[in-house]
Amino acid sequence: MTLSDQPDDQGFGIDSTATEVLAGIDLSGKFAIVTGGYSGLGLATTRALAAAGARVLVPARRTDVAREAVAGIAGVEVDELDLADLDSVRNFADRVLESGRPIDILINNAGIMATPLTRVGEGWEAQFATNHLGHFALVNRLWPALTADGGARVVVTASGAGETPRINWDDVHFENGYDKWAAYSQSKSANILFAAELDRLGRAAGVRAFSVNPGYILTPLQRHLSKEEMVGAGWIDENGTALLPEFRAPEQGAATQVWAATSPRLADAGGGYCQACTVAKTFDGPADREAAERLWALSAELTGVDAFGKSE
C-alpha cells in the first residue's frame, strides 16, 4: 500500500482521535479488515476507516450483534470468525481469499482480558489462544491477500509492554496454576513479539507490522471484571465513572491503531511498538529477536500454519 503521497501527521498524541489522525487521508479503494471491529476500540477504528473511504470487513463471533453495531456505516460488511477456533479461522480466510480482494490494512484488534480459566482448541489457555494464536493463524492464512497488491499494513493491538515482553515458555498454557493477569500479560507480550517477527519476515514482500498500546480505555474488554474489582483498583467509582486521568475515550484509543495502519511516516518502517501516535519502542535486541523467533516457531507448530515455512 502506497501512502507516501499522503499528508504529514506531525502533532498527534495521546488526546488525538482516530478521525483527527485520518483527516485528509483518502482510503478510497482500500480494503481493511478489523477483527472485533464492532465494539469498543474496534468499532471506533471501523468508523474512522470507513469515513476515510475504506471498505471494511468486520469478522465477528457474534455476527448478529456485529451487524447491528455497524448498521448504517457505509462500506462495512460482517463475516463470521471465532479466533479461538482454528477451523473458523481457516474458513474465514478461505472466503476472503476466494473473493480475490487484496488486503491493504489488517488490524488484529479483537481480544479477551482477565478471563476465568478457559480451555479451547487442544487444551490451550483461552487468552493466549484467542489474542495471539488465532491472529497468528489468520495472518498466515491471509498472506496471499496481504501481498497481492504490493504489500499491506498489519497492526496488532497489544497493551502495556514493560521493559521486556515475557512468555512463560515452561508453561505457556498455565497447566500448573492459573493467574488471569499473568495469562493476559503473556498474550499481549505475544502480540508484540509476533508483530516484530512478522515485520522482519514480511518486509521483503511489502508487509509492515506494528504492535499498539491503545492506553487506558473503558470498553467491553473489561466484561470479565466485576465492578468491585475495578472500584478496588481505583479505575472507576461506584457509579462506573472513570477515575484515572489516563483513561481516554474509545475514539482516542483507536487513534494509534489507525495511525499505525495509515501514517505516511511509517511507509519505510515497521516492527515498532506504538503508543500515543508514535513509535515508543522497538524490541529488536538479540534477546527480543530470539524470543520472537521462538514464539513464531511455537505458534506455527501449534496452529499448523506458517506462510514462511512448512504448513499443513
Side-chain angles (χ1 to χ4, degrees):
M1 178 174 58
T2 301
L3 292 166
S4 58
D5 58 347
Q6 299 289 5
D8 192 29
D9 58 11
Q10 187 173 2
F12 296 131
I14 193 169
D15 292 317
S16 300
T17 67
T19 299
E20 291 169 345
V21 166
L22 289 175
I25 290 182
D26 184 6
L27 296 179
S28 299
K30 304 298 183 184
F31 176 46
I33 297 177
V34 183
T35 67
Y38 63 99
S39 176
L41 294 177
L43 181 56
T45 297
T46 295
R47 289 185 184 278
L49 292 174
R55 293 199 61 85
V56 184
L57 174 59
V58 174
R61 184 172 57 85
R62 301 175 297 163
T63 53
D64 54 340
V65 175
R67 289 192 176 94
E68 182 177 353
V70 303
I73 307 176
V76 178
E77 57 190 287
V78 173
D79 198 353
E80 184 176 1
L81 171 64
D82 182 351
L83 287 163
D85 181 345
L86 292 183
D87 288 337
S88 177
V89 174
R90 183 186 63 248
N91 292 336
F92 170 79
D94 286 348
R95 290 192 295 273
V96 173
L97 296 179
E98 288 167 4
S99 75
R101 293 184 289 182
I103 300 170
D104 299 290
I105 297 169
L106 172 58
I107 299 183
N108 296 322
N109 162 84
I112 55 177
M113 182 177 78
T115 61
L117 176 59
T118 306
R119 301 286 178 194
V120 300
E122 303 297 321
W124 302 333
E125 189 277 315
Q127 295 185 79
F128 185 74
T130 302
N131 297 350
H132 169 60
L133 291 176
H135 283 124
F136 176 90
L138 180 66
V139 168
N140 280 275
R141 288 197 178 279
L142 290 176
W143 193 249
L146 289 166
T147 58
D149 196 25
R153 296 269 183 97
V154 177
V155 178
V156 187
T157 305
S159 186
E163 290 301 315
T164 304
R166 298 185 182 278
I167 305 296
N168 184 6
W169 300 112
D170 295 327
D171 190 13
V172 170
H173 297 297
F174 290 85
E175 296 175 353
N176 299 309
Y178 178 69
D179 179 277
K180 65 183 181 182
W181 287 113
Y184 177 71
S185 178
Q186 173 178 259
S187 74
K188 297 291 100 178
S189 289
N191 291 154
I192 294 167
L193 293 171
F194 169 50
E197 185 66 8
L198 176 62
D199 188 78
R200 282 190 284 271
L201 293 171
R203 66 183 61 167
V207 175
R208 307 314 302 259
F210 302 86
S211 57
V212 165
N213 175 16
Y216 289 87
I217 320 290
L218 286 176
T219 73
L221 181 64
Q222 290 91 25
R223 61 187 176 274
H224 294 288
L225 300 177
S226 68
K227 185 177 79 170
E228 290 73 21
E229 283 182 280
M230 291 190 282
V231 169
W235 292 5
I236 61 173
D237 63 19
E238 290 290 345
N239 297 317
T241 303
L243 294 176
L244 292 179
E246 293 88 352
F247 273 113
R248 296 295 188 274
E251 291 77 11
Q252 293 170 310
T256 304
Q257 295 194 159
V258 299
W259 178 80
T262 65
S263 171
R265 290 178 175 235
L266 303 177
D268 298 315
Y273 169 80
C274 307
Q275 59 186 15
C277 298
T278 189
V279 177
K281 296 183 180 181
T282 53
F283 292 99
D284 55 3
D288 296 322
R289 292 198 62 163
E290 180 182 0
E293 291 170 1
R294 184 176 181 182
L295 177 66
W296 189 282
L298 173 64
S299 304
E301 178 184 355
L302 292 173
T303 63
V305 186
D306 187 354
F308 301 92
K310 184 178 179 180
S311 61
E312 63 179 26

